[in-house]
Amino acid sequence: MVRVKFFATLRSIAGKREVEIKGVKTVGELLEKLYAEFGEEFKNEIEERRMILVNGKNIDHLNGLDTELSDGDIVSIFPPAGGG
């Protein structure tokens, strides 16, 4: 089971701070499950630009969406940051 933590606007969209997901082997599979559960707005927010950490490591420095997941992993998903 993978624990997924949401931050900022993703918490509002999901209506939760975190969820636990079973049966996913990669970050890409995890996102597909999350998109199915939380809908188009959630998907758009993540696909626009996001930062995803697996156990504190950015997936951009691992294997991207092909980063493998194991039971007990913690995935943190941050929406795009704005500012100026």
Side-chain angles (χ1 to χ4, degrees):
M1 185 174 311
V2 175
R3 198 164 110 198
V4 184
K5 296 181 174 183
F6 304 123
F7 295 87
T9 55
L10 292 176
R11 282 185 183 168
S12 299
I13 296 168
K16 301 177 179 184
R17 298 172 75 90
E18 65 181 62
V19 295
E20 293 183 339
I21 303 289
K22 293 180 182 177
V24 292
K25 295 179 180 175
T26 66
V27 171
E29 287 181 20
L30 172 67
L31 290 180
E32 290 302 322
K33 277 203 167 193
L34 294 174
Y35 297 159
E37 184 168 344
F38 298 116
E40 197 68 25
E41 184 181 7
F42 187 89
K43 181 177 180 179
N44 291 340
E45 190 78 3
I46 290 178
E47 287 189 337
E48 184 179 319
R49 200 174 154 187
R50 78 313 187 239
M51 181 169 64
I52 299 174
L53 307 179
V54 175
N55 299 325
K57 296 180 181 172
N58 191 323
I59 65 166
D60 291 341
H61 302 291
L62 299 171
N63 288 323
L65 296 178
D66 293 327
T67 299
E68 293 185 8
L69 298 172
S70 301
D71 280 349
D73 282 348
I74 298 174
V75 178
S76 302
I77 305 176
F78 299 84

